[in-house]
Amino acid sequence: MVAGREREALVAHIVALAAEVLTLEELGREVLPSFERMIGAGRLLLYSSSGDQPFVSIAGSNECLPEYVAEFAATDPVQHFLQRENPPIFTGTRWREWKDFRSSVAYQNFYDRWDLSWLFHMRLNQIGHMEPGYAAIVCGRTAKQSDFEDVD
């Protein structure tokens, strides 16, 4: 994670790169590494939804995605909230149900095991959560890192 003038320069760099890309694949290849450096996420995933596949990995940390989709996505309270509200930005600890979520099966058997203690989710378009064409970036930080802040 970077701060101060270095962060400002990195944000300007990310915006310039993002303005040039035409596809999500290019976004993942050209922009995601700088975004990951700026936000300091332990895990970061750019994904989209298509047809009957609500989670299609485009770039980033996808090693835990098959397990999540197969065992936890359907019952994860975070997914239920994102589908219901479809917020442009979601930061876990600012969600009023965060304390309840931390006692959920999804948190205890997936998020905690993968050391995803702090969550940040950013919708990239106006399409409904998990509907075909939906795209987002989800980030996680470990328990050893700080929570996501407004500046992130």
Side-chain angles (χ1 to χ4, degrees):
M1 206 164 51
V2 295
R5 290 179 191 235
E6 183 181 0
R7 184 181 187 89
E8 290 175 17
L10 191 53
V11 168
H13 176 71
I14 290 167
V15 169
L17 287 174
E20 298 293 321
V21 300
L22 299 174
T23 67
L24 290 172
E25 290 76 15
E26 287 178 347
L27 184 72
R29 191 173 52 252
E30 304 296 327
V31 181
L32 207 62
S34 295
F35 182 77
E36 186 170 16
R37 181 170 169 249
M38 180 191 71
I39 206 158
R43 296 192 188 277
L44 185 139
L45 176 67
L46 169 61
Y47 72 95
S48 67
S49 299
S50 67
D52 62 344
Q53 293 186 306
F55 301 98
V56 178
S57 172
I58 296 170
S61 305
N62 66 358
E63 59 275 359
C64 58
L65 189 59
E67 175 190 2
Y68 179 76
V69 170
E71 298 179 35
F72 300 101
T75 59
D76 184 352
V78 170
Q79 293 304 322
H80 296 181
F81 173 79
L82 292 173
Q83 273 194 297
R84 185 176 66 247
E85 302 296 328
N86 199 28
I89 294 178
F90 168 81
T91 305
T93 54
R94 288 164 186 79
W95 176 37
R96 64 183 152 86
E97 289 120 8
W98 180 250
K99 286 183 182 178
D100 294 335
F101 165 67
R102 290 180 69 111
S103 64
S104 73
V105 171
Y107 186 84
Q108 293 179 2
N109 293 334
F110 179 80
Y111 290 92
D112 193 43
R113 193 166 37 80
W114 283 95
D115 204 9
L116 297 167
S117 296
W118 313 112
L119 302 177
F120 175 84
H121 185 277
M122 181 172 58
R123 176 169 43 92
L124 299 179
N125 56 28
Q126 296 299 318
I127 298 172
H129 185 68
M130 296 196 311
E131 291 180 13
Y134 179 81
I137 296 174
V138 62
C139 309
R141 287 185 179 156
T142 70
K144 294 177 184 176
Q145 295 176 290
S146 62
D147 187 9
F148 292 98
E149 299 178 21
D150 290 341
V151 70
D152 294 323

